[in-house]
Amino acid sequence: MEYYKLIEEQRRFFEGGKTRSIAFRKEQLQKLRDLLTENEKELAQAIYRDLRKSEMEAVSGEILPLISEIDFHLKKLDGWAKPKSVRQNLLSLPSKNEVRRVPFGVTLIIGAWNYPVNLLLMPLIGAISGGNCSVLKPSEIAPTTSAVLRKIMNSTFDRQYITVVEGGVEVNKELLDLPFDKIFFTGSSRVGKIVMEKAAKKLIPVTLELGGKSPAVVHKDADIKTAARRIAWGKYMNAGQICIAPDFVLVHDEVKAEFVTQVKKAVKKFYGKNPQTSDDYGRIINQQHFQRIEKLLIGVNLLHGGDLEASENYVAPTVIDGVDWEHPVMKEEIFGPIMPIMTYGDHKPPSQLLRAIPTPLALYIFAENEKFIDQTIENTPHGGTCVNDVIMQIINPNLPFGGAGSSGMGQYHGKYSFECFTRPHAIMRRRIWPDPSFRYPPFGKKLFLLKKLFLR
Ligand code: NAD
């Protein structure tokens, strides 16, 4: 009931028309920017409490990308929001035609815990740019960050425009029963299905940013040392709890040994001999996930790491092999610092092996041969690609970010965020004159003439 009243208030505010103004939207974006710079320290500390994420990772991975996205929107919003004239066609002669991007109305944004600030506020930037009101639900699994977000957001924005509500699964379920105009969800494919099912009952459009097992393919002609360093960086950052982290490596069998040697070297260089004492190495979010990851190590061959410390949810940067595609570690998204090494040979292209797994969010390919790269991209279903690097594809706001199939639907970032939170609205303007009788009954031979005109 409480939430029902809240969205009624937001709907009234939206219908008041204030959010239609581009100047208003820009003002709100600026407010959000100021809030981030003023509260950077408090947010980074909260993220550290929840995830033991270093200040460098918290600021560079969560807060700075938000500021840069806001700046991009402030610069581009006028152009994106401008109605676009489109040509008339033969049948619509004479008419004036335009497409306007219009907001959905009251939106629900549900975040995940691994980037608890970024994943909640990045979609919000699109919602503001698009002219919507928003209810935000941060993840209860990062409770300190959730509480800080509620405090600073709710003291900055009017409740009837943007508000943060805290809570767990029960609150989410309650929210998903309400008549929002758009739902933006970030989380697992499992919960994504629940969200879509609930939304379908009310025909609410959804954007689903989900997960999956993103592979890193390493071909025999790749620069192995750089590939290993970059993959290790992307795999062990935030202790592997990144939706677009390389989940596993699929390396050409001729270069496997060299690749593993280089990954081990990179890990030592990044985190020292004992990553447990490194300030730059994170922890698993909670006991439940720690135990889930611990189980994934049953029956594997350890090539590196494997140390666990339950009292602090520590899982060392780990490299494994000796598993087949049916092993549990290859059946679910790992979301932790375990790097399985799978191989392929000259007889079977990697895409043939990768087509058997559910569609991942990202595909990473380390190779020099352009034909190999293109064929792997084309023949492997996935959300987005990065060649000769990992994770970097999300830092360019000119590129859409989103999954495909089981890794989600819909895109955001930059202009795609604006489009994600607006719909194209068609407007045709006609005059009263001329009004030829051709389209009105009686039809007589008109169909014959119509076909002559169109099937020339
Ligand atoms: P999750 O799906 O468990 O939870 C996400 C949200 O859903 C939380 O707010 C939670 O309260 C809610 N929720 C959980 N169970 C629910 C239920 N039964 N009914 C309704 N709501 C429910 O995901 P998570 O553990 O927070 O995040 C990890 C997953 O998210 C991974 O799969 C990861 O790949 C994915 N992810 C995707 C992206 C992306 O941008 N595509 C980003 C980060 C994480």
Side-chain angles (χ1 to χ4, degrees):
M1 192 60 196
E2 181 200 344
Y3 299 128
Y4 189 81
K5 256 177 71 187
L6 172 64
I7 75 163
E8 280 299 294
E9 271 175 46
Q10 290 210 346
R11 196 171 308 289
R12 270 199 301 279
F13 182 77
F14 177 74
E15 284 167 0
K18 217 169 173 180
T19 69
R20 299 266 166 168
S21 147
I22 303 300
F24 173 82
R25 298 182 199 178
K26 285 188 180 169
E27 218 176 276
Q28 306 308 313
L29 286 171
Q30 189 59 50
K31 254 194 201 178
L32 185 61
R33 194 186 193 284
D34 295 344
L35 169 148
L36 288 167
T37 50
E38 282 158 21
N39 296 283
E40 180 193 295
K41 267 250 151 346
E42 194 175 353
L43 286 167
Q45 278 164 2
I47 296 168
Y48 184 84
R49 286 275 304 272
D50 287 331
L51 283 143
R52 203 182 176 278
K53 210 183 268 189
S54 67
E55 190 180 356
M56 167 73 180
E57 269 190 34
V59 176
S60 68
E62 300 231 36
I63 298 168
L64 292 181
L66 289 169
I67 293 175
S68 117
E69 175 87 357
I70 291 172
D71 290 343
F72 192 70
H73 281 242
L74 285 171
K75 201 164 123 200
K76 301 278 186 180
L77 184 54
D78 287 318
W80 296 338
K82 220 182 200 155
K84 309 271 180 305
S85 291
V86 294
R87 290 168 67 134
Q88 56 192 344
N89 64 351
L90 193 60
L91 273 189
S92 62
L93 266 168
S95 63
K96 276 195 174 158
N97 299 267
E98 71 175 42
V99 181
R100 287 185 190 172
R101 302 284 326 184
V102 296
F104 285 102
V106 182
T107 63
L108 171 64
I109 298 173
I110 300 174
W113 52 262
N114 58 329
Y115 280 77
V117 176
N118 188 287
L119 295 173
L120 195 76
L121 301 186
M122 190 61 94
L124 176 67
I125 296 169
I128 296 175
S129 276
N132 301 276
C133 295
S134 302
V135 174
L136 309 172
K137 215 292 278 170
S139 171
E140 72 282 11
I141 296 175
T144 320
T145 316
S146 172
V148 170
L149 280 167
R150 188 185 64 169
K151 184 186 79 180
I152 62 178
M153 290 290 291
N154 291 3
S155 58
T156 304
F157 293 99
D158 289 338
R159 168 187 153 95
Q160 56 198 14
Y161 174 48
I162 292 171
T163 194
V164 172
V165 302
E166 280 193 278
V169 176
E170 288 314 312
V171 168
N172 243 9
K173 284 184 177 162
E174 245 182 272
L175 291 169
L176 289 169
D177 280 332
L178 296 175
F180 283 97
D181 300 307
K182 159 101 192 177
I183 298 173
F184 188 105
F185 172 80
T186 303
S188 60
S189 304
R190 179 185 69 83
V191 181
K193 286 178 198 161
I194 298 173
V195 171
M196 195 160 172
E197 208 178 314
K198 293 250 195 183
K201 293 210 172 98
K202 296 191 168 63
L203 292 177
I204 301 171
V206 291
T207 298
L208 301 177
E209 297 289 339
L210 312 176
K213 289 185 82 62
S214 299
V217 174
V218 181
H219 200 41
K220 57 186 173 185
D221 65 349
D223 177 327
I224 300 299
K225 190 174 169 193
T226 312
R229 198 157 56 155
R230 291 183 176 180
I231 292 172
W233 169 78
K235 180 73 201 184
Y236 302 122
M237 189 196 295
N238 203 26
Q241 301 162 113
I242 305 182
C243 59
I244 47 164
D247 185 276
F248 65 95
V249 174
L250 184 57
V251 58
H252 193 284
D253 48 20
E254 285 173 24
V255 291
K256 173 183 170 183
E258 173 63 5
F259 178 79
V260 172
T261 305
Q262 292 299 338
V263 170
K264 289 183 189 174
K265 273 192 190 163
V267 171
K268 276 204 190 107
K269 231 175 168 176
F270 296 165
Y271 306 114
K273 273 206 179 113
N274 181 6
Q276 200 170 351
T277 58
S278 163
D279 288 339
D280 300 326
Y281 189 67
R283 295 293 183 270
I284 302 306
I285 184 77
N286 57 24
Q287 270 288 305
Q288 191 197 337
H289 277 278
F290 175 85
Q291 284 161 8
R292 178 186 62 77
I293 293 168
E294 189 179 25
K295 277 199 201 122
L296 295 179
L297 287 173
I298 296 171
V300 308
N301 180 42
L302 283 177
L303 296 171
H304 188 76
D307 312 308
L308 304 162
E309 178 53 65
S311 65
E312 46 174 288
N313 294 334
Y314 169 76
V315 179
T318 298
V319 185
I320 61 164
D321 71 357
V323 293
D324 62 18
W325 296 86
E326 294 307 313
H327 188 282
V329 81
M330 291 308 296
K331 282 304 230 191
E332 64 173 82
E333 182 183 8
I334 297 170
F335 225 58
I338 302 173
M339 184 193 294
I341 309 287
M342 309 299 281
T343 55
Y344 67 97
D346 286 332
H347 56 286
K348 208 183 231 184
S351 54
Q352 218 169 311
L353 294 162
L354 296 176
R355 273 205 298 270
I357 63 170
T359 310
L361 194 51
L363 170 66
Y364 302 116
I365 306 166
F366 287 82
E368 289 304 316
N369 183 325
E370 289 297 333
K371 195 167 160 214
F372 171 84
I373 294 170
D374 282 339
Q375 280 178 349
T376 309
I377 294 174
E378 276 164 27
N379 297 325
T380 312
H382 63 284
T385 320
C386 190
V387 176
N388 287 324
D389 212 333
V390 298
I391 299 183
M392 301 301 282
Q393 74 274 22
I394 63 159
I395 66 170
N396 180 355
N398 296 308
L399 289 174
F401 173 62
S406 60
S407 57
M409 61 185 67
Q411 283 80 29
Y412 75 131
H413 288 188
K415 186 180 183 192
Y416 299 94
S417 283
F418 174 78
E419 289 179 349
C420 176
F421 282 95
T422 54
R423 66 173 183 83
H425 176 80
I427 300 177
M428 178 186 278
R429 291 175 205 275
R430 307 205 69 198
R431 288 184 192 221
I432 293 304
W433 184 90
D435 190 28
S437 61
F438 189 78
R439 68 167 156 176
Y440 301 116
F443 295 125
K445 290 208 168 50
K446 285 178 185 170
L447 182 60
F448 173 77
L449 290 170
L450 201 64
K451 280 189 173 171
K452 271 227 166 287
L453 192 65
F454 279 93
L455 307 178
R456 270 177 300 170

